[in-house]
Amino acid sequence: MTSWCVLAFLFLAHLCRGALSCPPLCRCYQRRAEVVCNQVPLTEYPSEGLSPHTTLLTIQSTNITSISEEQLNATPLLQGLHLYDNHLHSLSAHLLRGVPHLSTLDLTGNRLSDLPAHVFDHAPLRSLVLKDNAFEAADAEWLPENSSITWLDASGNRLTEVPTALLQKLPHLENLELADNRLELLSANSLGNLTKLERLNLRDNKLRDLDASVLQGSRNLTYLFLSRNDLGSLPQNLFQELTELKVLSLDENQLSHIPAGLLDPLSSLDEDGLDLTSNPWLCNRKAKYLWRWLQKNKNKVFLPETVLCAGPPSLVGRSLMSLGESDLQS
């Protein structure tokens, strides 16, 4: 009987030793070792009561302005750190040195405009989110060589150039989000090292043209978003290598026509996978290629009847799909 009591005592002691304590104002979930501090009046990192067994930590919509390496050292098993919509304005150079298992870091919606060199060197990050901050540039020195990151989100910043040097350190990248920046140029070598890239989002930028070879190394690309830019023309061979592409958005640009053969390689497009709406299409002889392609592939086009003519005057507002080939002679 005594031995059973001893065993029970040891078991309970083990549970207590591994139990997840909880900081004030936060919620804790024992089974998944998660701590959530959401929309609470925190002004400092919640060090008090934070268990060293924590693997997931979310601090969202608080007044925290800084976080130190010493504070993160208290949770050496941390795998995911989500710091959304706080007031962080800087990070220390060795912030991640004490969290060697961290794979996800989300800094969405803070006040970051610059970061120290090597800031992301010390953790095996696979997902890095810098969305909705104030970065005007992304420095290659932030990352180690041959980084393990597969997901990078730098959308909603003030980038004027694609961070080519930084992207060269990301050979495993599968998803790149650069939407809602101020990008004007996508040079020929911008994506050259991203052979595993599957999703590229460049929505809501100021791109006027694209180099003919910029997508040649992106044979695994399946989602390409170019909506709401200033693209006035596209090179004939731009999509030549994109035989796996499922979704392509070109809506809300300045396209008046596309070159013959441009869409021919896109045999893998999903149903409704191509969006061409809200462009000033000129329905003349140069539109014959697009007209024929639409007739054969209308199931692959999102709302094909809304691909509308902006000229010539006699056809303004007409659907390109509704025209006959004789209408395209002018």
Side-chain angles (χ1 to χ4, degrees), residues 8 14 21 33 38-39 44 51 57 76 88 130 146 157 160 166 176 202 207 234 244 254 273 278 287 304 326:
H14 172 74
S21 56
N38 182 20
Q39 294 183 324
E44 295 183 357
S51 169
L57 174 59
L88 298 175
L130 302 172
N146 196 31
N157 282 282
T160 57
L166 180 140
L176 177 58
L202 294 165
L207 297 171
L234 297 172
E244 304 297 320
Q254 297 300 317
S278 301
S326 61

Side-chain angles (χ1 to χ4, degrees), residues 72-114:
L72 278 189
N73 286 348
T75 50
L77 302 181
L78 202 62
Q79 298 174 22
L81 177 59
H82 302 272
L83 298 169
Y84 322 124
D85 296 324
N86 296 291
H87 294 157
L88 298 175
H89 52 76
S90 63
L91 301 179
S92 70
H94 304 297
L95 178 67
L96 306 182
R97 188 155 51 182
V99 282
H101 305 287
L102 192 71
S103 61
T104 298
L105 176 60
D106 192 333
L107 295 161
T108 297
N110 282 281
R111 300 179 179 180
L112 301 167
S113 60
D114 195 14

Side-chain angles (χ1 to χ4, degrees), residues 21 67-68 76 88 96 98 106 114 123 163 174 181 186 212 217 220 226 234 261 266 290 298:
S21 56
I67 178 173
S68 69
L88 298 175
L96 306 182
D106 192 333
D114 195 14
E174 297 173 2
N181 276 285
L186 193 62
N220 291 312
L226 294 165
L234 297 172
L266 305 182
L290 178 56
K298 61 181 179 181

Side-chain angles (χ1 to χ4, degrees), residues 88 96 115 124-125 132 147-148 183 210 220 227 243 254 324 329:
L88 298 175
L96 306 182
L115 296 173
L125 292 176
D132 294 340
S147 169
S148 56
L183 303 176
L210 298 173
N220 291 312
S227 306
T243 55
Q254 297 300 317
Q329 298 303 320

